[in-house]
Amino acid sequence: KVRAQTRPGAPIPLLQTFRDLIRERGGWYEGLFGRSLGALVAKDVVFAAFKFAVFDACRDSLLTSFPGARGDGLSAFGVSLAAGAIAGACGALASQPLDTTFARIETVPGDDGVFGTARTIFQEDGPAALYAGARTRAIFAAALLAIEFAIFEALRDQFNVSRDDFAFALDALATAVAAAPASPTSALGGGG
């Protein structure tokens, strides 16, 4: 995406861009996924885990503290905004060391992997360096998730979808995954 945005002249076909990246970065994995895929996935998993857990806890706590907000659309919207903002800030702060590690892997030559790079940052620059840019990221995530969760909750309420409906869908998905064959060939009747 960045390459397409920054290269002057006529757009380069997507397959040509992939070929260029693979050649320049020294292999298909590095070319297509970059050196920092592990840090990116780890950062996003931590962020997602925190945002959902913190949102649910904050929302439930706020609704317990202000029970009148349950029936009032505007108050419920405010609860979702507040819980979303807190969840966004907490998710950003929890995942910030991995975000810093991700940025270092992408910008500094000499890849030591996720843990090696984090250790290098810690040893060379101190523990505070793992939180470089945390304030800005937390504010951005708080604003973004406040809006995201408030809209999600408003639409969920508008379409009368309960939290139990989501739990039912996740239970069905878990059952389907558990019942899935061990390998693609066993699903076709082959060995596996």
Side-chain angles (χ1 to χ4, degrees):
K1 173 185 151 258
V2 172
R3 192 170 287 246
Q5 292 172 326
T6 59
R7 187 173 280 173
I12 308 277
L14 184 59
L15 288 177
Q16 182 59 47
T17 300
F18 287 157
R19 280 189 219 105
D20 292 348
L21 287 169
I22 291 167
R23 186 185 69 253
E24 290 168 16
R25 293 183 174 178
W28 70 270
Y29 182 84
E30 294 83 2
L32 297 179
F33 301 112
R35 299 176 304 145
S36 58
L37 181 63
L40 176 66
V41 170
K43 168 185 74 111
D44 287 347
V45 166
V46 169
F47 182 81
F50 269 83
K51 82 176 184 179
F52 287 117
V54 171
F55 175 79
D56 282 341
C58 285
R59 182 182 179 279
D60 292 347
S61 179
L62 287 169
L63 289 175
T64 299
S65 298
F66 305 103
R70 286 190 196 276
D72 180 21
L74 187 57
S75 295
F77 188 75
V79 165
S80 295
L81 278 173
I86 294 167
C90 288
L93 292 173
S95 62
Q96 183 61 35
L98 289 164
D99 189 62
T100 302
T101 302
F102 166 76
R104 179 77 61 98
I105 290 171
E106 275 296 301
T107 58
V108 177
D111 184 10
D112 292 332
V114 176
F115 295 112
T117 302
R119 185 179 330 114
T120 300
I121 295 168
F122 184 86
Q123 291 171 342
E124 291 179 0
D125 303 321
L130 290 168
Y131 286 90
R135 182 179 302 134
T136 303
R137 189 164 175 259
I139 291 168
F140 176 77
L144 186 65
L145 266 73
I147 295 165
E148 177 184 316
F149 277 116
I151 291 171
F152 171 78
E153 294 271 306
L155 289 173
R156 192 197 69 207
D157 291 345
Q158 186 67 33
F159 291 112
N160 296 315
V161 177
S162 73
R163 289 177 174 264
D164 291 339
D165 293 333
F166 287 114
F168 178 73
L170 290 174
D171 287 344
L173 178 62
T175 301
V177 169
S183 72
T185 56
S186 62
L188 300 173

